[in-house]
């Protein structure tokens, strides 16, 4: 058990809809990362937050947004969903912001767009 | 630009035999290097990392990896494979230089299949 909790585990919705994915980081970790995993794109970094502030940004679409709350949990919001957004979305956490620390991953949310 | 390559989509090995999963990278300056493993329907699990120091890094479950700067490689190895090692393995690299665009880059993954 990594200590990172993601909810829900599965999400099925339709095109054009909006969903929110939730992540609780490992106790003591201040950084939260969001990734998208799909068969054609592999594992893609979306965004990182550190102690409530956006720290780094990757290939995140404008339709997607995230935030980290004072209790350090994070939410990833996906709107105007398209079929191509179907993927596994992972949250990871680490103690600090330095790149030399391992990230600890949750078990992901599987998003299916019908 | 940072990149990482895992040239083999799949590696097959018999139980008890040594295994190697290959990884090469491209990054400015000295890298931070990681190996992760993913079991079905699970998130990635950290195996080991190279930050500095000894080129041979030991990690979880008997795995080790060798950092080779001249060949820009970080191959994952284990002396004796177990059937339970069968999983998807990811190599990842990150530049030591910080910044808003610096991120951990993952390879495409190598499926390790260990036959009994």
């Amino acid at each position: 058990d990594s200590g990172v909790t993601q909810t829900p585990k599965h999400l099925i919705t339709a095109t054009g809809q909006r969903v929110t994915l939730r992540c609780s980081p490992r106790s003591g970790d201040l950084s939260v990362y969001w990734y998208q995993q799909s068969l054609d794109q592999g594992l893609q970094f979306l965004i990182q937050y550190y102690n409530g502030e956006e720290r780094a940004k990757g290939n995140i679409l404008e339709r997607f947004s995230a935030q980290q709350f004072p209790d350090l949990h994070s939410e990833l919001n996906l709107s105007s969903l398209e079929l191509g957004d179907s993927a596994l979305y992972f949250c990871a956490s680490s103690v600090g912001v330095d790149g030399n620390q391992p990230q600890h991953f949750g078990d992901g949310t599987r998003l299916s767009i019908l | 630009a940072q990149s990482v390559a895992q040239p083999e989509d799949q590696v097959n090995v018999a139980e008890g035999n040594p295994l190697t999963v290959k990884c090469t990278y491209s990054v400015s300056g000295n890298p931070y290097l990681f190996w992760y493993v993913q079991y079905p329907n699970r998130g990635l699990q950290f195996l080991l990392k190279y930050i500095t120091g000894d080129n041979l890094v030991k990690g979880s479950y008997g795995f080790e990896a060798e950092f080779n700067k001249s060949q820009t490689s970080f191959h994952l190895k284990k002396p004796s494979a177990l059937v339970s090692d069968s999983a998807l393995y990811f190599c990842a690299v990150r530049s030591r230089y910080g910044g808003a665009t610096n991120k951990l880059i993952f390879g495409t993954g190598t499926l390790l299949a260990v036959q009994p």
Side-chain angles (χ1 to χ4, degrees):
Chain A
D1 182 14
S2 68
V4 178
T5 303
Q6 289 188 249
T7 57
K9 292 191 185 306
H10 304 276
L11 202 47
I12 301 174
T13 188
T15 55
Q17 296 299 305
R18 173 188 169 93
V19 296
T20 297
L21 312 184
R22 182 187 169 99
C23 169
S24 293
R26 206 173 58 141
S27 178
D29 285 358
L30 297 179
S31 271
V32 169
Y33 310 79
W34 285 98
Y35 291 90
Q36 180 193 60
Q37 186 179 37
S38 61
L39 283 176
D40 54 343
Q41 297 284 339
L43 194 62
Q44 298 285 321
F45 168 71
L46 296 178
I47 197 164
Q48 176 196 359
Y49 280 81
Y50 174 73
N51 204 20
E53 300 289 328
E54 183 182 304
R55 187 72 182 185
K57 215 166 186 175
N59 304 321
I60 188 166
L61 300 172
E62 286 193 11
R63 301 183 285 109
F64 296 1
S65 64
Q67 55 184 328
Q68 185 180 28
F69 295 87
D71 67 353
L72 300 177
H73 92 271
S74 179
E75 293 181 355
L76 179 67
N77 300 297
L78 315 176
S79 62
S80 303
L81 287 168
E82 302 175 359
L83 292 177
D85 297 329
S86 295
L88 256 175
Y89 291 85
F90 286 108
C91 168
S93 69
S94 66
V95 171
V97 69
D98 293 337
N100 62 355
Q101 297 162 354
Q103 296 177 18
H104 302 273
F105 283 74
D107 286 339
T109 293
R110 184 173 295 279
L111 177 63
S112 299
I113 313 299
L114 303 179
Chain B
Q2 302 171 152
S3 66
V4 59
Q6 294 181 242
E8 302 152 317
D9 289 337
Q10 183 162 337
V11 169
N12 298 305
V13 64
E15 187 173 32
N17 283 359
L19 69 88
T20 298
V21 182
K22 296 179 181 176
C23 171
T24 58
Y25 66 89
S26 174
V27 70
S28 299
N30 292 321
Y32 296 135
L33 293 158
F34 301 84
W35 275 101
Y36 287 83
V37 60
Q38 186 179 26
Y39 295 98
N41 301 312
R42 301 299 303 275
L44 279 68
Q45 294 179 33
F46 168 72
L47 275 180
L48 51 79
K49 66 178 181 180
Y50 172 80
I51 304 300
T52 188
D54 193 354
N55 289 344
L56 184 63
V57 178
K58 294 190 182 297
S60 306
Y61 312 119
F63 284 94
E64 58 189 28
E66 186 165 13
F67 170 60
N68 188 319
K69 188 173 182 178
S70 63
Q71 297 186 5
T72 61
S73 67
F74 190 55
H75 301 331
L76 182 70
K77 301 181 180 185
K78 187 173 182 181
S80 178
L82 299 172
V83 172
S84 58
D85 292 332
S86 298
L88 188 58
Y89 289 81
F90 289 93
C91 180
V93 64
R94 180 171 174 158
S95 169
R96 289 174 186 264
Y97 303 110
T101 58
N102 193 12
K103 56 193 177 186
L104 191 61
I105 304 295
F106 285 86
T108 51
T110 297
L111 185 64
L112 174 66
V114 181
Q115 284 87 36

